[in-house]
Amino acid sequence: MTKEVVMGIVGFGGMGSYHVHELIFREKNVRLKGGYDIKPERNEALGKEGYHVYASYEEMLNDPEIELVLVATPNDTHKALATAALEHGKNVISEKPAMMSSKELEEVLAVAKKAGKQFFVHQNRRWDPDFRIITELYEKKPLGEVFDIESRVHGANGIPGDWRHNLNQGGGMVLDWGVHLLDQLLFLIDSPVTSVQADLSYIEGNEVDDGFEAKLYFKNGVIALVEVGTSNFIKLPRWYVKALEGTAVIDDWDLSGKMVKATGFLGEAPTPIQAGVGLTKTMAPPSEEATETLPLPEGIALAPSVYENIFQVLRNDAPRIVKNEEVLRVMRLMETIFKAGHAHQVLPFEK
Ligand code: NAD
């Protein structure tokens, strides 16, 4: 039997709890031994669940049984915590965004290399069922070649009332949600992003962006719009995808949505309709025979799970699902989005 990976966790807040309650316990090859949080009440909560609570982070890093450390703390602390763990001979999985900048990430990757240890990043939304459906639309082309993708998340609660408000803690929505949506698109579309346009929003008057819109122009001709909004009392669909033979919409994470596909029927031209105070033929609905409405496909599953992949990498040198060069590329793209947004310019990104 191959030896299980024993883990420790630093930061038992919102996402740390999610790892413990929703992810790690499902794993047969990864076991959580214990953890440490700077807040005594969070340590108490961890202890009540039967896990070992370390007196300090240092004490956890000196536990020879711990092989993998999950860093689930605010963004500005990832670098120091990950570096310390790597230097103590531990492998690390860091929550997203991996670091505050591409420079920080390069430095941590150099530490990992020197220590001969593995550094992983939790880009969990590559496994999201809605994104798996988009992957099927893009790769299997049930509607023909996809040429335009709109990926949005909309909320109406502003920035959550925590460290996400603070610039020096890596707050703001580009780093919070943007990192997920951009990671999905770069993982999906195997083509350089030649240029980037962006608008950042500061509606709430915070020092960090409370939302943004970015347009990515891929070399293969695909255009993608990414939007994160926190002042949207009416949401737009999570995904809107245009392909040469049809359109697909996924409304929400509940996977409601549909595809409308052209049948190829060549009948009468659409009859003009009254539109506002005028007439239009162009915007008239196609005739009933010209299109069919279809359910969304199931989506292409991504396996194995985040933790099983880490186990396989550590024990069998298996290929990683989330590669560090991909994480670095997304960090650089976010930096270009900030520059493009602040300069109100379309900026080049890759050749
Ligand atoms: P949170 O504020 O709920 O929890 C952070 C916890 O870390 C707190 O309990 C805090 O006391 C503790 N902490 C802070 N500094 C520490 C230190 N130096 N040592 C030990 N503990 C420390 O924040 P959160 O929402 O859980 O976010 C944590 C990380 O997880 C962030 O990087 C965030 O971007 C990420 N996150 C990822 C996802 C995802 O889907 N992948 C979702 C939410 C959050």
Side-chain angles (χ1 to χ4, degrees), residues 70-92:
L70 165 68
V71 176
T73 53
N75 301 341
D76 59 316
T77 62
H78 292 181
K79 186 181 178 199
L81 296 170
T83 302
L86 292 163
E87 287 176 346
H88 277 76
K90 310 298 182 192
N91 301 291
V92 171

Side-chain angles (χ1 to χ4, degrees), residues 70-187:
L70 165 68
V71 176
T73 53
N75 301 341
D76 59 316
T77 62
H78 292 181
K79 186 181 178 199
L81 296 170
T83 302
L86 292 163
E87 287 176 346
H88 277 76
K90 310 298 182 192
N91 301 291
V92 171
I93 170 170
S94 171
E95 257 309 333
K96 51 52 58 175
M99 294 291 146
M100 302 269 280
S101 66
S102 56
K103 183 172 173 286
E104 276 196 3
L105 180 55
E106 281 165 344
E107 287 166 6
V108 169
L109 293 178
V111 174
K113 194 170 176 194
K114 193 168 167 215
K117 292 291 149 190
Q118 301 279 353
F119 177 78
F120 302 92
V121 182
H122 191 229
Q123 289 299 157
N124 46 320
R125 294 195 175 277
R126 292 186 183 191
W127 281 259
D128 278 6
D130 55 290
F131 175 62
R132 304 314 312 160
I133 292 174
I134 297 298
T135 304
E136 181 160 350
L137 293 178
Y138 189 80
E139 289 180 0
K140 295 201 173 162
K141 308 183 198 331
L143 299 175
E145 206 70 48
V146 170
F147 60 89
D148 196 296
I149 302 179
E150 297 180 12
S151 169
R152 293 188 171 83
V153 288
H154 280 169
N157 304 314
I159 301 176
D162 55 20
W163 52 268
R164 287 174 174 79
H165 280 268
N166 306 331
L167 193 59
N168 63 0
Q169 292 196 275
M173 286 298 122
V174 172
L175 287 175
D176 196 48
W177 262 101
V179 68
H180 284 303
L181 306 191
L182 296 164
D183 179 71
Q184 288 178 331
L185 288 169
L186 297 200
F187 185 50

